[in-house]
Amino acid sequence: MSAIVLMLVGLGGLALGFIFYSKFIAEKIYQLDPDFKTPAHEFEDGVDYVPTNKFILWGHHFTSVAGAAPIVGPAVAVIWGWGPAFLWVILGTIFFAGVHDFGAIWASARNKAKSMGALTGDVVSARARSIFMIVIFLVLLMVNAVFAVVIAGLLISYPSAVLPVWGIILVALLIGQLIYRQKMNLMAVSIFGVIALYALIFIGPSVPLEMPSEVGFLSGTATWIIILFAYAFVASMLPVWVLLQPRDYINGIQLFIGLGVMYLAVLLLNPSMVAPMVNESVPEGTPSMIPLLFVTIACGAISGFHGLVSSGTTSKQLNKETDARFVGYFGAVGEGTLALAAIIAATAGFATLAEWESLYASFGAGGVGAFVEGGAYIISGGLGLSQEVSATLLAVMACLFAGTTMDTGVRLQRYIFQEWGQIYGIDWMKKNIPATVLAVGACMLLAFGAGGPDGDGGMLIWPLFGTTNQLLAGLTLLVISVMLVRLGRPMIYTLVPLVFLLVMTISALLVQLVDFYNDGNWFLLFLDVVVLVAAILVALECTSTLMRLRREAKTQES
């Protein structure tokens, strides 16, 4: 089968979802009000609460959620065949992710930009809030610790990507000044930023910057991890307009350009889908597709981390409530296009089926490497760029999105500590610097305390990321559903996705529980039980609240 067919069907479906389904959700379910005073105006402080142009805010939101996960998940899940991965990405984006991300922004903005964890205390119960915030903390800890390892690995493997990855920070700082201080035209600034970024990408292969294999007593990877967390510490405390917004905005533009290059190359090269539509001869040890497919592909179909970004940073910058549809739903569509590109690169970016099977010889193979190498094969063949430049382009894309996600993740983790300080009356924890020290310190403790001198401790708990992340998405949909019931609006459009997610996620947790027990992995077994118990408790709390509200509504009707 031609990859062009998959591309056109996928992009067409995503476009129709945004045009029609998101419009229906905005008008009939969330009922957006253009005159509603958003928290960005109510609490404007020039640091976290900043009314923002919807295109710039879309760039922040999209690139914060579109980290390495929408590349890694699909590029791993195609081991079951490209068909199931494709269906889950397209249908999940339209009916699950768009509604979830959009809804989390709306719910948070309607409640003074509170995070989903804090919001749970208002709409469900204080007990549910406490449990929910523990799950949120675990997800952020996993994301920040693991993405540092992913970025470090890419910078080691692709030294040609080092210059553009770090150079874009200077470009973003300049863009922030030009937009907010100099009030320059957004289009002119955007063109400048794109030219500067792509100039760095093309210069990168000529100026490769390699980290020594050992820096004192640290490995090269560990050195990069420390540098990344030092950067994240500073970046997470800067006003959002200085670095976070402009960096995310220009990254959002470059992703669409990069995807445009990728899809144009598909049209010109017309590669075949080398991998099978449904793989009936998976390698030994590969788990069952159901339920594992639905937690292996999280970002790109639906992801609980998106709800943290939506209610953590995005809702604080929402200029008009009506912007939530474009920022939230279209942000999910953008990530769906990235996941679709990852599926095509990881299944059509190989010369033969034998070559594909040699890479996918075990479950967990593929990932970012399959995306970069497979995508480079398609781009170099379709557009005539060198393999090295093509690989650099895609490696930079993966690094930049993992980096922006990490920036936002550390900021969100700081918010969690500050909210704990607010809830439990710990005054010093409410302040930016102590809360950021705790956020970065927790990540570093996991990275080096559990992982030793290589700093890869985050990888120890990464097997639980998929299930914990999807659990978080289901619980976010539960909170949104409770809000809809309180407002007397239909909740079927959030209820169906959340029931599906909770069933699949709890099933996956049980499967993993057995695997961890059989492998004697008691640490992950313990964490699995903690997450499973948390899922059941919060689900019971929310279900009880939903049933009570529905009974009250029926009583009032009668």
Side-chain angles (χ1 to χ4, degrees):
M1 176 179 162
S2 170
I4 293 177
V5 175
L6 200 69
M7 180 186 78
L8 294 178
V9 172
L11 294 179
L14 294 174
L16 291 173
F18 176 70
I19 295 169
F20 296 107
Y21 193 60
S22 73
K23 185 172 186 290
F24 167 77
I25 295 295
E27 294 178 353
K28 304 299 183 182
I29 309 304
Y30 298 146
Q31 299 180 18
L32 304 184
D33 180 3
D35 298 321
F36 175 75
K37 187 176 183 179
T38 64
H41 290 282
E42 185 177 356
F43 307 113
E44 184 174 359
D45 61 5
V47 179
D48 294 318
Y49 294 86
V50 179
T52 304
N53 176 288
K54 71 177 182 179
F55 295 102
I56 295 177
L57 183 56
W58 169 84
H60 154 70
H61 177 80
F62 170 44
T63 54
S64 293
V65 301
I71 295 172
V72 175
V76 169
V78 293
I79 196 167
W80 290 299
W82 57 261
F86 173 79
L87 288 174
W88 175 226
V89 163
I90 302 305
L91 296 178
T93 296
I94 296 170
F95 297 107
F96 287 56
V99 174
H100 170 274
D101 296 15
F102 180 6
I105 296 174
W106 166 76
S108 178
R110 280 279 165 172
N111 290 274
K112 302 184 183 300
K114 290 183 179 180
S115 72
M116 292 311 301
L119 185 56
T120 305
D122 293 341
V123 302
V124 184
S125 67
R127 182 167 50 191
R129 177 192 63 195
S130 299
I131 300 169
F132 202 171
M133 290 186 73
I134 292 172
V135 177
I136 291 172
F137 181 78
L138 282 174
V139 168
L140 290 172
L141 194 64
M142 292 178 193
V143 168
N144 294 331
V146 172
F147 276 23
V149 177
V150 170
I151 299 169
L154 285 168
L155 294 176
I156 293 289
S157 300
Y158 301 96
S160 59
V162 174
L163 179 64
V165 165
W166 291 100
I168 191 59
I169 296 173
L170 299 178
V171 174
L173 289 169
L174 180 57
I175 288 174
Q177 295 297 318
L178 293 176
I179 292 175
Y180 287 98
R181 294 298 191 198
Q182 304 302 317
K183 307 297 182 182
M184 285 187 63
N185 178 270
L186 183 59
M187 180 62 71
V189 175
S190 302
I191 293 171
F192 159 74
V194 170
I195 292 173
L197 173 60
Y198 279 91
L200 289 169
I201 289 174
F202 278 93
I203 294 172
S206 303
V207 191
L209 300 174
E210 295 190 41
M211 177 69 71
S213 58
E214 292 186 5
V215 180
F217 62 90
L218 294 173
S219 67
T221 301
T223 304
W224 273 129
I225 290 173
I226 292 174
I227 292 172
L228 286 163
F229 275 119
Y231 159 75
F233 180 91
V234 176
S236 66
M237 288 194 296
L238 291 175
V240 290
W241 66 268
V242 172
L243 178 59
L244 188 69
Q245 279 185 0
R247 177 177 175 177
D248 290 354
Y249 173 64
I250 202 65
N251 282 345
I253 294 176
Q254 75 91 14
L255 173 61
F256 266 87
I257 293 175
L259 288 175
V261 168
M262 175 73 178
Y263 287 132
L264 177 61
V266 170
L267 287 172
L268 295 175
L269 183 62
N270 190 20
S272 297
M273 303 298 291
V274 173
M277 180 176 178
V278 177
N279 190 4
E280 297 180 353
S281 56
V282 296
E284 185 178 352
T286 301
S288 171
M289 181 175 68
I290 297 175
L292 270 298
L293 170 70
F294 303 101
V295 297
T296 300
I297 299 180
C299 298
I302 182 171
S303 165
F305 179 73
H306 295 196
L308 303 185
V309 176
S310 296
S311 63
T313 56
T314 303
S315 63
K316 293 179 174 64
Q317 302 168 61
L318 193 69
N319 185 39
K320 295 180 179 180
E321 188 177 65
T322 48
D323 292 347
R325 176 193 173 203
F326 180 81
V327 175
Y329 197 101
F330 192 60
V333 167
E335 190 176 61
T337 63
L338 176 57
L340 176 61
I343 291 171
I344 293 174
T347 54
F350 297 84
T352 64
L353 174 60
E355 184 179 327
W356 181 83
E357 288 178 335
S358 68
L359 176 62
Y360 285 88
S362 62
F363 182 71
V368 175
F371 170 74
V372 172
E373 297 303 323
Y377 171 85
I378 293 172
I379 292 173
S380 61
L383 301 179
L385 295 177
S386 71
Q387 185 81 11
E388 186 177 19
V389 169
S390 300
T392 299
L393 171 67
L394 296 174
V396 168
M397 184 188 296
C399 275
L400 289 181
F401 288 112
T404 52
T405 300
M406 188 176 166
D407 287 358
T408 303
V410 172
R411 188 178 290 259
L412 290 172
Q413 207 158 13
R414 185 245 293 176
Y415 291 162
I416 291 294
F417 278 109
Q418 289 178 313
E419 286 183 348
W420 275 334
Q422 186 72 34
I423 292 168
Y424 299 111
I426 307 174
D427 291 336
W428 63 268
M429 197 183 288
K430 301 176 189 176
K431 298 177 182 178
N432 282 356
I433 293 179
T436 306
V437 169
L438 289 174
V440 173
C443 296
M444 294 283 282
L445 181 63
L446 173 62
F448 290 95
D454 289 335
D456 60 356
M459 303 307 293
L460 294 177
I461 62 174
W462 186 248
L464 278 173
F465 171 75
T467 46
T468 308
N469 187 45
Q470 297 303 69
L471 164 65
L472 188 56
L475 298 180
T476 297
L477 287 169
L478 267 172
V479 173
I480 296 170
S481 298
V482 172
M483 282 190 61
L484 292 174
V485 172
R486 287 181 182 275
L487 294 169
R489 299 175 191 171
M491 67 170 180
I492 189 68
Y493 304 98
T494 54
L495 185 64
V496 171
L498 81 84
V499 169
F500 180 86
L501 272 182
L502 287 180
V503 169
M504 289 300 168
T505 302
I506 291 175
S507 299
L509 280 166
L510 292 172
V511 169
Q512 288 183 319
L513 196 68
V514 174
D515 290 341
F516 296 148
Y517 178 80
N518 291 335
D519 295 340
N521 195 328
W522 309 120
F523 177 64
L524 286 181
L525 180 70
F526 169 75
L527 284 181
D528 193 306
V529 171
V530 169
V531 173
L532 183 60
V533 171
I536 294 171
L537 290 176
V538 176
L540 289 174
E541 287 279 341
C542 292
T543 302
S544 174
T545 302
L546 280 173
M547 293 176 67
R548 176 175 55 80
L549 290 173
R550 289 182 68 83
R551 285 196 301 269
E552 292 174 358
K554 288 181 179 179
T555 302
Q556 291 175 358
E557 289 174 0
S558 60

